[in-house]
Amino acid sequence: MGMAPNADLLNYNPFDETLSTNWTDLTRGIEWLIDRDARVLNMSLGLPGTTFASGWADVFARRKVRDNTEDAVFVFAAGNDGYTQTFNIDWTNSRGVDSLLIVGSVDPAGHISFFSNRPGNACFTVNGQCQDGFRLMD
């Protein structure tokens, strides 16, 4: 219960002994998982003051990650600070917007929880432009 039957579960912990991490270790972890044919990657790794941090653009610009976005789904936790994102993410050198799923919390009635971070009108921009379907909420 709670996991697909016959699914293999892989785990990568990017945190060091101080319970912190960085973009290099996060990228290393995603590449490690991709090397092992992971196709659904769940990442509950938020930064305060963001719903989706701009540093992810560099991760998704990495060749191994970029080249595997069509074969995988990347699930990101929006966060629990009640924050609404007001800035865009430059996605010019990255791919895979269709492979991203940013999730938040809803109450039993299906309304966004007061504490859940929200995407606002922020967008994954390419060459400064927001294309159809590229808003974080999409």
Side-chain angles (χ1 to χ4, degrees):
M1 187 165 182
M3 192 170 124
N6 302 316
D8 292 325
L9 182 63
L10 298 170
N11 182 44
Y12 185 90
N13 182 0
F15 296 97
D16 63 19
E17 63 278 350
T18 67
L19 303 179
S20 60
T21 190
N22 56 63
W23 294 111
T24 300
D25 290 340
L26 291 173
T27 302
R28 185 178 300 121
I30 291 171
E31 290 175 340
W32 183 87
L33 291 165
I34 287 170
D35 285 343
R36 284 148 185 84
D37 294 324
R39 294 296 169 241
V40 178
L41 290 85
N42 183 35
M43 295 171 277
S44 186
L45 303 162
L47 281 175
T50 68
T51 297
F52 189 88
S54 57
W56 286 114
D58 292 334
V59 174
F60 279 79
R62 294 282 301 221
R63 183 180 189 139
K64 185 178 287 191
V65 178
R66 188 181 67 232
D67 290 350
N68 284 279
T69 57
E70 291 182 18
D71 298 324
V73 175
F74 300 85
V75 183
F76 293 88
N80 296 316
D81 302 316
Y83 172 81
T84 299
Q85 186 143 337
T86 58
F87 62 90
N88 294 329
I89 306 295
D90 181 5
W91 210 251
T92 303
N93 297 315
S94 306
R95 271 194 290 195
V97 169
D98 293 341
S99 299
L100 305 179
L101 184 60
I102 304 169
V103 298
S105 172
V106 295
D107 66 20
H111 301 104
I112 297 174
S113 301
F114 73 92
F115 57 82
S116 185
N117 288 4
R118 296 163 173 80
N121 291 317
C123 188
F124 295 102
T125 60
V126 176
N127 297 320
Q129 300 295 312
C130 183
Q131 302 174 12
D132 287 340
F134 274 49
R135 294 176 305 165
L136 273 64
M137 73 173 73
D138 296 337

